[in-house]
Amino acid sequence: MSSDYADDAVDKALERSDFFKRARGSLGPLIALILICAVMAFLSKSFLTAGNWLNILQQVSMVSIIAAGMTFVILMGGIDLSVGSIVAFTGLITAALMKYYNIDPWQAVALGIASGAFLGFLNGIMVAYMALPPFIATLGMMSIARGGAFTITNGDTIFSLPDPFLIISERIGRIPIPAIIMLITFLVCGYVLNFTRLGRYTYAIGGNETASLLSGINVMRCKTAIFTISGLCCAISAMLLTSRLDSATPVAAEGIELDAIAAVVIGGTSMMGGEGRISGTIIGVLIMGVVNNGMNLLFIPQGPQKIVKGAIIVIAVMVDIIRKSRQGNN
Amino acid sequence: MTVPILEMKDIGKSFPGVVALDHANLDVRPGEVHLLLGENGAGKSTLIKILSGAYTRDSGSILLEGREADLSTPQAAQEQGIAVIYQEFNLVPWLSAAENIFLGREFSTSWFKPHVNRRKAEMEAWKILKRLSADINPRAAIADLGVAQQQMVEVAKALSMNARIIVMDEPTAALTGKECDTLFSTILDLKSRGVAIIYISHRLEEFHRVGDRATVMRDGKTIKTLDLADVDVEELVRLMVGRSLKDKFPKVPATLGDEALRVENLSRGNKVKNASFSIREGEVAGLYGLVGAGRTELARALFRADAPDSGKVYLSGKEATLNRPRDSIRAGLGFLTEDRKGQGLVMPLGVDENVTLASLDQFSRPGFLSRAKQARSARQFVGRMRIKTPSLSQEVKNLSGGNQQKVVLAKWLSSDAKVFLFDEPTRGIDVGAKIEVYQLMNELTRQGKGILLISSELPEILGMSDRILVMCRGELVADLPASEADQETLLLLAAGGGKTIVQ
Ligand SMILES: Nc1ncnc2c1ncn2[C@@H]1O[C@H](COP(=O)(O)OP(=O)(O)OP(=O)(O)O)[C@@H](O)[C@H]1O
Ligand SMILES: [Mg+2]
């Protein structure tokens, strides 16, 4: 049989089903995002302006980069509670290297990012080779990294960082550099998840770990790599935060793990692992960002803001579950 | 004599409380189909898992073509050319068929090694599936496929490895006639190319059809290897079970009572179309059909595991309003699902807890569970059905496949339903225990219970039913007394040939 014939047959028969399958993955969250935007646009005139949107991108850039790494971990069937602490730790290390040791800012950034990746790597070692449940391993790391951050400066904050370092949080034209870094991160993560072995194995391990093992996948190495990616994302995010605040503090990014997890889950990724996509996470992050921004524009106080955020998480996941059970019926 | 392609010598393996393998020996020649036979829990799957690197052996050695081989991990075994189709599926539900077939062996693109070549994988998968005459979309998610299709994906996966030894652990347990035929012709094809095949099955009719030689196991030991040309099925059974079995289908003719269950115009999508039938007290109605004919869907819709589009259900003559499985259980239906792992068992619970799960009312006073009563009931089933387990509290995930199936069966047999829906009840159960299951079914019918017996094994349907229903593409195409049915008629009806016979 000629291979052309095969090509055509496969393509013709399958392209359509494939398209729908891929589209419906993040369709639910996307509709939610559009609805929320519509409501906000109705309530506030300044919402739809380019300036406001660039602001939103700037605001979500930090948590979204963490959420990108978290997507890997959750898809693999794990969870990473240590992200906030790793952000604080790497931010502080970088600041300390620049301020106390007078190391060149770019070298300090490189070292800081390496330290974040290393903490993630340690998470991976604990989960993969010591068989600790991810919840426990990263809960431990959460405390260790936070404690490490406190120890470096005795709990003090480091202020006034060198100018070159502050460039990270500036703008090129009107576009915030953090937004650009965020975009690049998502493109890279999306590429890795969808087109590389590591990405395929992330889905495979989350979907059925035994099957992955028996198919000859080096599951332990993959898990280590995935937690390292999460640590790396935290470190990148830490640079944005530290630069933007022009200071590093050991209490930075407390509780950010919950925002990151929420974004991933709102984006339709299953907490059980194996199912979900990075585009969903982008949408999840934007939903949270838009809601935050909108409520600020409307001068809604912190208390109600939190209530609304919580409700959105619950509703988003509920809608997704209902949608999926409907699909199962067809 | 040819050098064996594989020799396993004096293999030993113990689990806590169980000696699974005790000086087991196996030698396999290139180009042969080697049957591995034995009762449930004899150690067949364990032996295979040692070969594939999934388990590490406690003792013994493995030679490939006369040389000691490293088979310590699944990767190592794969590299040595060993492919295994495990008894329990090992597929990733949210990945596509193609992605599953090449999992761990993805094609690379020329320009960047870590980049997976999805298109190439789909093309290759498509070719292999076509060779198997399996109508499966390489891009379909495994979660959307039926059990038989998943089995075919497993077969395709093993084929794609171009292995020199392929192990198939009960590959036909989920297949019916047509797919079995393709599988067997694929096996012949592999044989002619010198591939050695280790084949595990409990289906007697397959033994002589595919096998060249057979090794029989009992209690972790390999007791004999013989040429199939020199031995008949009775002898094989005797070796497996340790005694001869006369009547394989001890059917007691039914004394029929009133109507127990009537279903009218049950429909669900295009899977179940307007099905109407009834079962009387004390009657076994066999439901036959090819894979995909809609038998499981019919049972699920009837039980309300899935919501039907339309249809009425009458129990003992009264219409029953069923909305959820819970209503169905209350109304007196019992449903043994075909997928024991996913829907039948609570894996981390013990044997006793699983057996009594569907009948807890019998064992509880308000607020309390009588552990002693529970244990007594469980012990009875363990004895009768020969469930091989070191203790009543052994977690069922550690039992062999067939023994897990016995636990699910025991669970429903001890419930006090009036009508039982049995979907492939004896899948993976050995010959001896099957007879025990049939006798338990006889006891149920003697108590006036009705049974809908869904099975892909024709001899079972013919041997145990009073009446036989046949389904084809979602429709009930025949409803005839068992005395008027034979193998050819049923096959023809199931394939959509022959005129519709509904009484
Ligand atoms: N992981 C495990 N932990 C504890 N015991 C086990 C484990 N795996 C297997 N066993 C025990 O080892 C014995 C052999 O099991 P095995 O699965 O090899 O049987 P089998 O011959 O394949 O049976 P079947 O026909 O039912 O598939 C059984 O008694 C089983 O309970
Ligand atoms: Mg087995």
Side-chain angles (χ1 to χ4, degrees):
Chain A
M1 179 197 316
S2 85
S3 68
D4 293 345
Y5 169 68
D7 273 31
D8 284 354
V10 174
D11 280 355
K12 280 215 187 83
L14 314 176
E15 206 64 73
R16 202 169 357 150
S17 64
D18 194 49
F19 172 77
F20 281 116
K21 216 190 94 199
R22 288 185 171 267
R24 86 185 177 202
S26 3
L27 208 57
L30 187 60
I31 292 172
L33 177 61
I34 293 170
L35 281 178
I36 293 172
C37 287
V39 172
M40 290 302 176
F42 182 74
L43 291 177
S44 159
K45 278 207 186 62
S46 46
F47 177 75
L48 273 184
T49 57
N52 188 45
W53 271 92
L54 289 172
N55 266 337
I56 293 177
L57 290 183
Q58 156 91 24
Q59 281 157 6
V60 299
S61 58
M62 224 196 82
V63 69
S64 71
I65 291 171
I66 298 172
M70 187 71 81
T71 309
F72 279 81
V73 177
I74 291 181
L75 277 175
M76 182 213 75
I79 188 129
D80 189 348
L81 299 177
S82 64
V83 287
S85 303
I86 295 182
V87 168
F89 182 86
T90 47
L92 217 58
I93 284 267
T94 313
L97 285 173
M98 288 185 291
K99 282 285 278 197
Y100 299 164
Y101 298 92
N102 286 321
I103 289 182
D104 171 72
W106 298 118
Q107 284 174 11
V109 166
L111 287 171
I113 289 182
S115 73
F118 180 70
L119 293 184
F121 175 76
L122 289 183
N123 275 334
I125 297 286
M126 287 193 283
V127 170
Y129 294 91
M130 301 177 195
L132 284 173
F135 191 96
I136 306 296
T138 58
L139 190 65
M141 180 58 78
M142 182 176 170
S143 184
I144 293 170
R146 185 71 67 184
F150 268 96
T151 314
I152 294 172
T153 61
N154 276 324
D156 291 342
T157 301
I158 304 177
F159 293 104
S160 336
L161 302 171
D163 282 346
F165 182 72
L166 301 182
I167 292 176
I168 298 175
S169 54
E170 280 170 10
R171 293 177 182 234
I172 298 180
R174 293 183 69 190
I175 305 184
I177 292 178
I180 298 172
I181 295 177
M182 166 177 89
L183 191 70
I184 295 172
T185 310
F186 271 97
L187 286 176
V188 172
C189 286
Y191 174 75
V192 172
L193 264 182
N194 290 305
F195 295 102
T196 70
R197 283 199 172 71
L198 180 62
R200 178 72 53 81
Y201 297 166
T202 306
Y203 281 99
I205 295 170
N208 185 341
E209 188 167 338
T210 322
S212 308
L213 260 174
L214 294 175
S215 299
I217 295 175
N218 193 334
V219 171
M220 298 206 251
R221 210 167 62 194
C222 288
K223 285 187 171 176
T224 314
I226 288 164
F227 275 101
T228 308
I229 289 176
S230 178
L232 186 68
C233 288
C234 294
I236 296 172
S237 179
M239 299 307 136
L240 306 189
L241 178 76
T242 313
S243 166
R244 186 170 152 77
L245 299 179
D246 190 10
S247 66
T249 155
V251 293
E254 259 181 336
I256 204 162
E257 58 277 352
L258 297 181
D259 285 339
I261 294 168
V264 175
V265 172
I266 290 174
T269 295
S270 156
M271 287 296 284
M272 312 288 287
E275 209 194 353
R277 46 193 62 246
I278 194 99
S279 54
T281 300
I282 301 177
I283 295 169
V285 165
L286 286 178
I287 288 180
M288 305 251 293
V290 165
V291 169
N292 255 337
N293 171 270
M295 289 192 295
N296 283 336
L297 288 180
L298 299 172
F299 302 108
I300 295 173
Q302 279 296 315
Q305 279 206 17
K306 275 199 185 305
I307 295 177
V308 170
K309 261 163 76 175
I312 285 181
I313 295 172
V314 174
I315 292 170
V317 176
M318 209 167 66
V319 168
D320 211 45
I321 289 172
I322 294 171
R323 200 172 49 88
K324 275 181 194 140
S325 74
R326 285 262 170 75
Q327 259 163 28
N329 271 342
N330 291 333
Chain B
M1 221 186 81
T2 44
V3 189
I5 190 166
L6 164 72
E7 273 179 286
M8 300 180 80
K9 286 188 187 158
D10 287 327
I11 307 288
K13 174 79 187 173
S14 303
F15 297 105
V18 195
V19 179
L21 291 176
D22 177 12
H23 294 282
N25 293 290
L26 182 68
D27 78 282
V28 181
R29 299 174 191 154
E32 79 163 340
V33 175
H34 196 110
L35 303 183
L36 192 54
L37 308 177
E39 289 189 290
N40 296 133
K44 305 177 297 290
S45 298
T46 308
L47 189 63
I48 290 322
K49 285 183 184 161
I50 284 174
L51 175 62
S52 74
Y55 288 163
T56 37
R57 56 183 186 267
D58 298 343
S59 59
S61 57
I62 304 180
L63 309 182
L64 288 177
E65 280 167 350
R67 276 191 301 275
E68 186 87 29
D70 167 35
L71 300 170
S72 52
T73 63
Q75 275 142 298
Q78 253 179 40
E79 276 156 27
Q80 298 282 353
I82 297 171
V84 181
I85 302 170
Y86 293 96
Q87 184 173 11
E88 311 293 348
F89 293 154
N90 274 295
L91 299 170
V92 183
W94 306 115
L95 292 185
S96 72
E99 286 166 340
N100 267 285
I101 289 173
F102 293 103
L103 189 62
R105 299 169 296 118
E106 287 75 11
F107 295 103
S108 294
T109 38
S110 47
W111 47 276
F112 185 45
K113 271 219 57 198
H115 188 103
V116 292
N117 192 337
R118 193 175 129 216
R119 186 174 175 76
K120 174 124 195 262
E122 278 164 7
M123 301 307 322
E124 295 298 320
W126 189 77
K127 282 183 204 157
I128 300 170
L129 290 168
K130 189 152 170 62
R131 196 168 126 201
L132 287 168
S133 330
D135 179 24
I136 298 171
N137 182 337
R139 288 181 189 163
I142 291 298
D144 296 334
L145 299 180
V147 186
Q149 289 177 313
Q150 295 186 3
Q151 181 71 67
M152 292 317 261
V153 171
E154 288 274 14
V155 174
K157 182 171 172 179
L159 287 186
S160 75
M161 293 183 195
N162 291 321
R164 47 182 174 160
I165 301 171
I166 299 185
V167 185
M168 305 187 176
D169 196 346
E170 301 191 30
T172 50
L175 304 180
T176 47
K178 196 169 54 114
E179 292 109 338
C180 291
D181 291 344
T182 8
L183 182 65
F184 293 154
S185 60
T186 312
I187 288 177
L188 282 182
D189 180 38
L190 290 167
K191 247 172 77 163
S192 68
R193 288 195 259 149
V195 177
I197 290 159
I198 301 173
Y199 190 94
I200 301 177
S201 174
H202 290 293
R203 290 192 172 184
L204 306 180
E205 69 274 14
E206 292 174 351
F207 293 178
H208 283 84
R209 194 164 160 202
V210 285
D212 297 309
R213 292 194 304 153
T215 294
V216 180
M217 297 188 71
R218 203 193 295 159
D219 296 330
K221 299 184 194 55
T222 40
I223 54 173
K224 207 165 188 184
T225 297
L226 358 84
D227 248 309
L228 277 163
D230 309 336
V231 52
D232 61 6
V233 171
E234 306 306 320
E235 174 67 8
L236 286 172
V237 169
R238 205 186 54 73
L239 284 169
M240 280 160 62
V241 199
R243 65 205 148 92
S244 50
L245 301 174
K246 283 185 288 298
D247 191 3
K248 295 212 186 59
F249 298 102
K251 170 75 182 157
V252 181
T255 31
L256 300 185
D258 298 334
E259 177 187 277
L261 167 78
R262 180 152 49 95
V263 176
E264 280 180 3
N265 302 323
L266 188 68
S267 291
R268 180 178 152 79
N270 56 2
K271 293 285 193 179
V272 183
K273 299 177 200 155
N274 256 335
S276 302
F277 63 93
S278 66
I279 299 175
R280 292 169 65 181
E281 291 171 356
E283 187 178 46
V284 179
L287 177 55
Y288 185 71
L290 300 178
V291 166
R295 295 166 303 165
T296 296
E297 288 77 5
L298 172 81
R300 287 181 61 87
L302 168 54
F303 190 71
R304 299 300 189 263
D306 297 322
D309 303 333
S310 65
K312 287 183 178 157
V313 175
Y314 299 82
L315 282 153
S316 309
K318 281 198 294 287
E319 182 171 357
T321 0
L322 310 176
N323 294 315
R324 296 167 300 167
R326 199 180 156 74
D327 301 339
S328 313
I329 294 174
R330 287 248 171 92
L333 285 174
F335 183 26
L336 174 101
T337 52
E338 68 174 338
D339 169 15
R340 59 173 170 256
K341 208 175 171 186
Q343 299 162 11
L345 291 169
V346 186
M347 287 291 171
L349 283 188
V351 171
D352 49 356
E353 287 151 314
N354 269 287
V355 168
T356 51
L357 202 57
S359 50
L360 278 182
D361 290 348
Q362 295 171 28
F363 305 104
S364 48
R365 279 163 297 169
F368 288 96
L369 273 179
S370 165
R371 286 246 156 209
K373 261 197 194 169
Q374 184 174 326
R376 205 174 315 133
S377 160
R379 194 171 300 121
Q380 208 181 335
F381 277 105
V382 167
R384 275 203 71 171
M385 300 173 78
R386 269 182 278 248
I387 299 178
K388 200 176 164 199
T389 172
S391 73
L392 284 178
S393 57
Q394 173 79 322
E395 295 177 14
V396 290
K397 68 165 185 247
N398 290 334
L399 297 189
S400 80
N403 285 308
Q404 290 179 358
Q405 182 69 25
K406 293 181 199 170
V407 173
V408 195
L409 250 172
K411 170 177 133 182
W412 285 111
L413 291 174
S414 63
S415 82
D416 41 25
K418 289 204 244 355
V419 178
F420 292 90
L421 315 174
F422 286 152
D423 197 355
E424 306 282 1
T426 60
R427 160 181 302 170
I429 291 190
D430 65 52
V431 263
K434 262 184 192 166
I435 296 179
E436 215 48 61
V437 170
Y438 298 143
Q439 262 151 10
L440 285 163
M441 281 169 59
N442 284 335
E443 270 172 40
L444 291 178
T445 49
R446 203 173 303 133
Q447 294 162 21
K449 313 216 158 160
I451 296 177
L452 181 70
L453 171 66
I454 303 179
S455 173
S456 302
E457 282 185 64
L458 262 177
E460 179 170 285
I461 289 271
L462 286 164
M464 286 309 295
S465 313
D466 300 298
R467 240 174 65 230
I468 299 179
L469 311 168
V470 183
M471 253 185 124
C472 176
R473 291 184 215 105
E475 277 173 84
L476 271 182
V477 292
D479 181 344
L480 58 166
S483 52
E484 288 172 24
D486 58 31
Q487 200 138 343
E488 284 77 55
T489 335
L490 292 189
L491 278 172
L492 193 66
L493 286 165
K499 59 178 186 311
T500 304
I501 318 168
V502 181
Q503 292 186 333

